[in-house]
Structure formats: C-alpha cells, structure tokens
Amino acid sequence: MTVPASSRPHVSEASEVPSVQASNFWMLTLGTLGVVYGDIGTSPLYALKESLSAAAGEGLPTREMVFGITSLIIWALIVIVTVKYVLFILRADNNGEGGTLTLMALAQRAMGHNIFLIALLGMVGAALFYGDAIITPAISVLSAVEGLNVASPSFEHYVLPLSLLILIALFAVQSHGTARVAAWFGPIMVAWFMLLALGGLRHIADDPGILAAISPTYGITFLATHGTAGLFALGAVFLAVTGAEALYADMGHFGRRPIQIAWLGFVLPCLALNYFGQGALLLADPAKIENPFFLLYPDWALLPMIIMATVATIIASQAVITGAFSITQQAIQLGLLPRMEIRWTSETEKGQIYMPKVNWLLLVAVLFLVISFKSSSALSHAYGLAVTGTMVVTAIMAFFVVRYFWNWSLWTSVAVVAPFLIVDTIFLAANALKIPQGGWMPLLVGGLLVMIMMIWRRGTRILFEKTRKNDVPVIDLIGMLGKSQPYRVRGTAVFLTSDPDMAPAALLHNLKHNKVLHEQNVILTIKTEDAPRLSDRDRVRIESIGDSFWRVIMSYGYMETPNVPRGLALLRKQGFKFDIMATSFFVSRRSIRPSVHGGMPLWQDKIFISLAKSASDATDFFQIPTGRVLEVGTQVTV
C-alpha cells in the first residue's frame, strides 16, 4: 500500500543524509582495522622482544634498557606513523588514492614523464614493497604459531610445519577472493586490539613507573650510552612501525578521515598500552624476555590468544598480499612491468583482484623464507630494511610533490620533509647493520625487481623507436588510399596501436596481403593517465581523420584495467555507430630477436625478450572477444 505524501512522517534531507553518511563513515573506519592496521597491529608479537634482545645480547635486559626501548617504540609510533603518515603524507592523494606509485604519478604530472629520478624512485619503492609483501606473511604467521612454545616446549617441532600449512592454505584461497571473509576482518581486529590493550593494562600495575617512558629522554639517553648495540636495537625498534605504508597505500579504499580516526582514537592507544604492559612485565621479571607478549596473559587464556594471534596475522598477511596485486596492476599500467593475467573476484569492488602469477611467486618466496630462516627472530633481521627503504623513498618523493605539485616554497618544503627524511634515514642506517644477518634478502629482491622494471621500460622504448622508423604517418596513408582505392568489405575494423599518428603495422599488412579495406576503420590507442581512475565522460575521444577513418584515444587510470568493447560502446553517445558482431580487431604481434648492435647489452635483450614472451595476450588483457581478433606478426630486433 502506498502512503499518501501528506500523511507520511516528515524527514528533512538535512537530517537523513548525514545519518547515512555517518553510518557509512563508521563502517569504513571499522574496515580500516581489518585491512590497513593488520600489519602494524601484529607488531607487538615481536617488536619489543627483538629490540630488547638486540640491546641485551645474550644477557637479560636491564631497567635502563626496558625504559629506553619502550620510549623509542612509543615515539616511533608518534613521529613516523602519527605525524608523518596520518597527519602529513595522507594529504598527498591522487583523486583519493595513495601509495608509492601514486606519489610517482603526482610528481610526474608536475615535472613531466622524462625525469628519470622520479621513475627510478617509483620503481625502488614498488620493488621494496614486494620485499615487505614476502616477509610480512612469513614473520607474522611464524611469530603467532611460536606462541605454542610458551604453552609447552614439546610443541617446538610443530611450529615450522604448521606455519607452512597455514601459509599454503592462505595463498591457495586467494583465487576465491576476500569479499566474503573481509566483512569479518574489521570486527576480529577490533577484538584483537582490545585484547592488546587489556593484556597491557593487566601488567602496567606490575610497575606503573613504566608510564614515564612516554618521555623521549629515556630513548635518547639509551641511544647515547649504548653505541653499536643501541643502533642494532634501533633497527629492531622499527619493527613496531612496519605496516605504516599501508595507511597511505590503502587510502583509496577507505578515505583519509576513517584512517585518521581509527588510528588516533583506537589503534594507537591500544598499541601503546600493550607496549607499556610488556615493559612493566619485564621490569618485574626480566627473564620473561623469551616471549613477553604471550606471557602478558594468564595460562588459561594462552591457547585462545595463540589462535587469535594466528587469525590476526593471517588478516595482516591478506592485506599485504592484496596490496601486492594492486601495486602490480599499477606497475603494468604505468609501463614498468609486462602485462599479466588479472581476475576480478568481486562484482562490486573494483579493488578485489587476483593475479595468479604474482600469487604463486609470492608463495614460493614466502615458503623459501620460512624454511631458510626458521624463526621470527631470524626473520626480523630481514624485515626492517624493506620498510625503511620504502619510507625513505616516500619522503623523497613527497618533497617533489609538495615543492612542484603543491607549489610550496623551497624552504617550506625542506623544513617540512627534511625532519621525516632524517628520521627515516637514521632507521635505514640502523637496519643496514643487519644486512649480513638477513637484511640482504629484501635488497636482493628489490634489486632484481628494479633491474627487471628498468630493462622492461628501456626495452619497450627502444622497441617503439625501432618500429617507428619503418612506420608511415596515418594521414599520408589515407592520402595514398584516396588515389588508389582498395576493395571495400562490410563492417568495422579496429586497429590497436601505441602511436595514434602512425599507421598500425596490422593495417599495412592487411592492405598488403589481403588488399581490402573495411567500411569503417578505427585507429585505437589505449593510454594510461596519471589519475587512478577516470569517469566515462573522460574515457574516449574520437576524431575523423579522413574517408572512413577515425582516430580513437581510449584512456584509463593506472588503477584500472582496460576493457576495449565497453570503451567503444561509449562512442555511440558521440554518434559513432558500430555493431560489435560486425567488428574485427587487428592486433600486431611482434616476434622480437636480440641484436648485438641494439640499444641494450645482449643479456638485457634476452631478459626483455623473455619478459615479452611471458606477457599476457593483448586480447585477454584488453578483454576483446577472442572470436573477433586477427593477429598480424612482425619481426623486430632490439
């Protein structure tokens, strides 16, 4: 039954809309706890323990050490996470999106795409993120399962196999997507952070004096009096802020305000209470350094806490795995990596993607780490270097953004960014001391990935330049065809090309060998913009360039994957009529051969050719109907 308008209760838009907005805001805030703060939320499992172990060596931590390390951890959370990321870096968004490659896109938009330093910083930041993505699942799951050793030493032999099984299962379910289980991530992490706070509160009473560690003087005094041991400890202190990059990288999913509110109002207080509690526990009994986190809880709660910690670390690992998928997609769109298969695991969430090749490469690397290092303590030596390196890159690129994109004065830019860069560099130097013990691993992974990105970027540029030498300007070709008309066939032909001004090789070969021309011929170029996503009104541009020829520029953001048929359908609104079932797509497939006299050393040629062969088929990547594609092969040397 329809209620007459006059008898309905009156609700003004002013009261209804804010209510809906408020509800959505708090749902987003809850979501941040499950995705954004998973990594940093599991740091208490190992951060204080590893920091004090580095300071004390083989002995037990002294009272001075406990105060100094606790103070350093609290102030690392305040300076790096709160001030640098939550209050400053989150403002450097690209249409709401964040992350290392977003900073690169903003800097390139302000300074141009030919500045090699900006591209190099973007590649280094992305490469180091992969190092983080490999270590996070390994150290997080291991540190949680190691709680079994506290419950009973007899469980020691089961820690490694159980960790491996959990990790294999985690990567195996990625293809099903996380949309269904992600709804539980937020509530589970709320419970986790509350347990962190309760565990800390329970033991602060053991020695309430630990609260004095809020003063930075304890941390400064510790560093000033402990020499090299203090630097080793400082490198381990950084474990408390691993995951801070996720605040920025995941901004597009949740927005700035929910991330800020969740951190300042809930996550930071819970973490601080837990670290204070661990500090008080060790002041009362330094022998509990073996595992101060799990020893915060009574014996009856130990097994439930191990289970809860395992779930929390799985959630933290999930966030970094999906982050690896996202950053790979962005790198492909920005021309830093070859095309790879992308599958969508959600009909409603654009960010829910699965990349099989990335997933299984990550799994192999993670399993190798767990088997090689065997414990979270050994892995902690490798962890900090990847994250500190990423943070240094973020600080440097932030300078270019505030100076050239926000147009701040040079002195203001230096005054704001330099303190963050100095702090990050100090932590980087401290973590560099751990290179022989395991810090080499993220450097090796990052170095290999930067090399691959640079070879791919350089190879594609050389390939473009070589093919262009033999190309014919499309306007000249149309003029020649006007003088000598080939046989016409019905339908539309779409020729994909990277250069809209030159006649595509597929078009030239079609004319040369088949000696026919379609009624409608579209020269289609797909471009990636510096924006993360574009609206449909900015998606396609079309212009007539001659008799039966049109030039179409189809643009996508660096966080989108092209869909050519859907993009072409938008042309109907601009008056261009075509039938997809009467349309043929022509794609040039290049057979690349190495050349001694090419633009790259022979070994780089071979790597580039291998990458090109491994790239996903253009038909699949651009989502073109396979039954309507004709591939034309050409041979090129690089």
Side-chain angles (χ1 to χ4, degrees), residues 1-11:
M1 182 178 70
T2 304
V3 180
S6 59
S7 63
R8 292 178 197 159
H10 176 71
V11 179

Side-chain angles (χ1 to χ4, degrees), residues 128-138 171 317 320-321 323-324 362 366 383:
L128 288 173
F129 179 85
Y130 286 109
D132 185 17
I134 293 168
I135 301 171
T136 294
F171 281 91
S317 302
V320 83
I321 293 167
L362 280 177
V366 168
Y383 201 11

Side-chain angles (χ1 to χ4, degrees), residues 75-401:
W75 278 95
L77 292 172
I78 292 171
V79 174
I80 294 178
V81 185
T82 307
V83 180
K84 179 185 174 183
Y85 280 93
V86 173
L87 300 180
F88 174 61
I89 294 291
L90 284 184
R91 298 182 180 277
D93 68 293
N94 191 349
N95 293 340
E97 298 290 346
T100 302
L101 293 180
T102 285
L103 272 181
M104 186 184 90
L106 284 174
Q108 285 182 330
R109 188 189 298 180
M111 302 174 66
H113 288 257
N114 296 323
I115 308 296
F116 177 71
L117 176 61
I118 301 300
L120 179 62
L121 287 170
M123 287 186 273
V124 170
L128 288 173
F129 179 85
Y130 286 109
D132 185 17
I134 293 168
I135 301 171
T136 294
I139 192 172
S140 298
V141 172
L142 263 175
S143 61
V145 179
E146 282 170 353
L148 291 171
N149 291 334
V150 180
S152 171
S154 61
F155 285 125
E156 183 177 353
H157 300 295
Y158 298 98
V159 170
L160 202 60
L162 187 56
S163 298
L164 293 172
L165 282 174
I166 291 171
L167 288 165
I168 291 170
L170 173 63
F171 281 91
V173 300
Q174 293 302 311
S175 60
H176 301 290
T178 58
R180 293 180 183 176
V181 293
W184 293 95
F185 285 3
I188 289 172
M189 292 308 290
V190 168
W192 171 252
F193 281 112
M194 290 179 70
L195 288 169
L196 291 184
L198 286 172
L201 281 169
R202 183 170 176 266
H203 283 277
I204 287 175
D206 292 353
D207 196 326
I210 190 63
L211 295 175
I214 191 67
S215 169
T217 55
Y218 287 98
I220 294 168
T221 303
F222 170 80
L223 290 176
T225 56
H226 283 76
T228 306
L231 281 177
F232 274 107
L234 187 64
V237 163
F238 197 80
L239 295 171
V241 297
T242 54
E245 277 286 324
L247 276 72
Y248 184 42
D250 291 315
M251 180 165 57
H253 296 287
F254 302 100
R256 182 194 308 154
R257 291 293 293 162
I259 291 174
Q260 291 174 327
I261 295 298
W263 173 257
L264 295 170
F266 186 61
V267 177
L268 177 59
C270 291
L271 289 174
L273 286 171
N274 189 268
Y275 285 121
F276 280 132
Q278 289 190 52
L281 176 75
L282 292 171
L283 287 176
D285 186 357
K288 290 185 175 178
I289 188 63
E290 59 173 304
N291 204 318
F293 176 82
F294 283 110
L295 292 172
L296 287 175
Y297 302 92
D299 293 341
W300 61 266
L302 193 53
L303 196 56
M305 276 306 299
I306 293 170
I307 295 170
M308 191 67 185
T310 304
V311 174
T313 55
I314 289 171
I315 292 172
S317 302
Q318 178 62 60
V320 83
I321 293 167
T322 52
F325 295 157
S326 297
I327 204 165
T328 305
Q329 182 190 28
Q330 293 176 42
I332 291 168
Q333 288 293 79
L334 292 168
L336 302 178
L337 288 172
R339 293 187 300 265
M340 297 183 202
E341 181 186 357
I342 299 175
R343 299 179 195 169
W344 282 262
T345 58
S346 171
E347 294 180 3
T348 56
E349 295 295 326
K350 292 181 181 178
Q352 293 281 342
I353 60 172
Y354 169 66
M355 304 187 73
K357 191 175 290 185
V358 176
N359 187 64
W360 298 117
L361 284 173
L362 280 177
L363 174 59
V364 170
V366 168
L367 296 182
F368 172 77
L369 277 188
V370 172
I371 293 168
S372 301
F373 286 85
K374 295 184 173 60
S375 72
S376 61
S377 293
L379 263 173
S380 68
H381 298 304
Y383 201 11
L385 207 57
V387 186
T388 48
T390 307
M391 288 186 175
V392 167
V393 168
T394 298
I396 295 171
M397 286 205 292
F399 168 79
F400 290 109
V401 170

Side-chain angles (χ1 to χ4, degrees), residues 478-555:
I478 294 169
M480 288 186 281
L481 292 173
K483 297 174 184 176
S484 176
Q485 283 283 347
Y487 180 74
R488 295 275 182 167
V489 294
R490 294 173 63 96
T492 301
V494 178
F495 298 92
L496 274 74
T497 178
S498 59
D499 188 347
D501 297 320
M502 296 294 169
L507 170 58
L508 295 173
H509 282 279
N510 190 43
L511 287 167
K512 180 179 178 180
H513 298 291
N514 298 328
K515 298 178 174 59
V516 296
L517 194 66
H518 285 70
E519 288 178 321
Q520 296 187 126
N521 298 277
V522 175
I523 311 297
L524 173 62
T525 300
I526 298 170
K527 290 190 172 181
T528 301
E529 303 293 340
D530 287 330
R533 292 188 175 86
L534 300 179
S535 64
D536 282 348
R537 87 172 165 273
D538 300 322
R539 181 78 62 209
V540 215
R541 300 195 314 274
I542 185 170
E543 67 170 311
S544 175
I545 53 175
D547 180 34
S548 74
F549 276 86
W550 286 264
R551 181 188 286 128
V552 173
I553 307 295
M554 194 177 294
S555 301

